[in-house]
Amino acid sequence: EQLQDVLSSRVVSGLEPVPKPPPSGEPLNEGARAHVNGLTSGLEQMLEDPGGIGLGAAGVWSEAPEAGSESTVGTLAAQLGAPGLTLWLAFHAALIGGLLQAGLHLRREGERLWSDVTLVLGAALTGLLVSAAFSESASGLLGNAFFFLFSGWALAVAAPAAPGLTFRWLPFASGRV
């Protein structure tokens, strides 16, 4: 409480004083409500039209900003529907899981620095995914392209080298190319 008083009475880095939090039970302010509504409206639109309403048809920059606005996840849910949202979430889960697996493998091998790099990238991508639920700019190209570039680089460094490509998912392939 004393820290809150200090922060409320000072201007830090040119910002306005920190407002006191609302008492419990009070509704969210307008900004927070818009972000939560963006997520819920996008998910509701996905339930109404499970196949999605099409790319560019929902979100902040669309003709129908009320569906999924202020939420990347809400916008994707409305535009791509259940299949697209599932694929998008699966991609993130696979990347985060790969980074976690690589980090733990490197830790067992004694490569502490590379282990820490992959684990920090996995944690950063998890934070990015969570913030994408409530922010439309969380998945912007300028903001997260480097997350994906560095994650791919970390996985390439951490993965053992293969002598050739393996297509195990093709039933008729011999395995190696």
Side-chain angles (χ1 to χ4, degrees), residues 64-97:
E66 65 278 353
S69 67
E70 304 293 334
S71 168
T72 298
V73 174
T75 300
L76 286 172
Q79 291 181 3
L80 304 177
L85 183 63
T86 302
L87 287 173
W88 186 76
L89 291 172
F91 169 73
H92 279 275
L95 186 56
I96 293 166

Side-chain angles (χ1 to χ4, degrees), residues 147-167:
F147 281 108
F148 293 110
L149 288 171
F150 287 132
S151 297
W153 168 75
L155 287 175
V157 167
L165 295 175
T166 303
F167 294 104

Side-chain angles (χ1 to χ4, degrees), residues 115-134:
S115 170
D116 290 348
V117 167
T118 57
L119 293 174
V120 165
L121 280 169
L125 282 172
T126 302
L128 182 71
L129 183 61
V130 170
S131 68
F134 303 105

Side-chain angles (χ1 to χ4, degrees), residues 10 17 26 44 60 63 88 96 100 118 128 174:
R10 297 185 61 194
E26 268 193 37
E44 288 170 357
V60 176
E63 298 276 331
W88 186 76
I96 293 166
L100 177 63
T118 57
L128 182 71
S174 62

Side-chain angles (χ1 to χ4, degrees), residues 4-176:
Q4 180 66 34
D5 291 338
V6 169
L7 290 175
S8 295
S9 64
R10 297 185 61 194
V11 176
V12 181
S13 300
L15 300 175
E16 294 295 319
V18 177
K20 293 196 181 278
S24 62
E26 268 193 37
L28 296 173
N29 66 28
E30 283 300 313
R33 186 177 302 122
H35 290 278
V36 172
N37 287 345
L39 175 63
T40 56
S41 67
L43 294 174
E44 288 170 357
Q45 179 64 44
M46 181 183 73
L47 292 176
E48 289 175 21
D49 190 358
I53 58 176
L55 288 174
V60 176
W61 301 106
S62 71
E63 298 276 331
E66 65 278 353
S69 67
E70 304 293 334
S71 168
T72 298
V73 174
T75 300
L76 286 172
Q79 291 181 3
L80 304 177
L85 183 63
T86 302
L87 287 173
W88 186 76
L89 291 172
F91 169 73
H92 279 275
L95 186 56
I96 293 166
L99 288 167
L100 177 63
Q101 183 181 14
L104 295 176
H105 173 73
L106 289 169
R107 180 69 51 117
R108 286 190 298 271
E109 298 285 321
E111 295 284 340
R112 188 166 176 86
L113 176 65
W114 288 111
S115 170
D116 290 348
V117 167
T118 57
L119 293 174
V120 165
L121 280 169
L125 282 172
T126 302
L128 182 71
L129 183 61
V130 170
S131 68
F134 303 105
S135 172
E136 79 284 0
S137 61
S139 289
L141 179 62
L142 295 177
N144 69 18
F146 293 105
F147 281 108
F148 293 110
L149 288 171
F150 287 132
S151 297
W153 168 75
L155 287 175
V157 167
L165 295 175
T166 303
F167 294 104
R168 294 183 189 167
W169 53 273
L170 292 177
F172 54 83
S174 62
R176 296 242 180 244

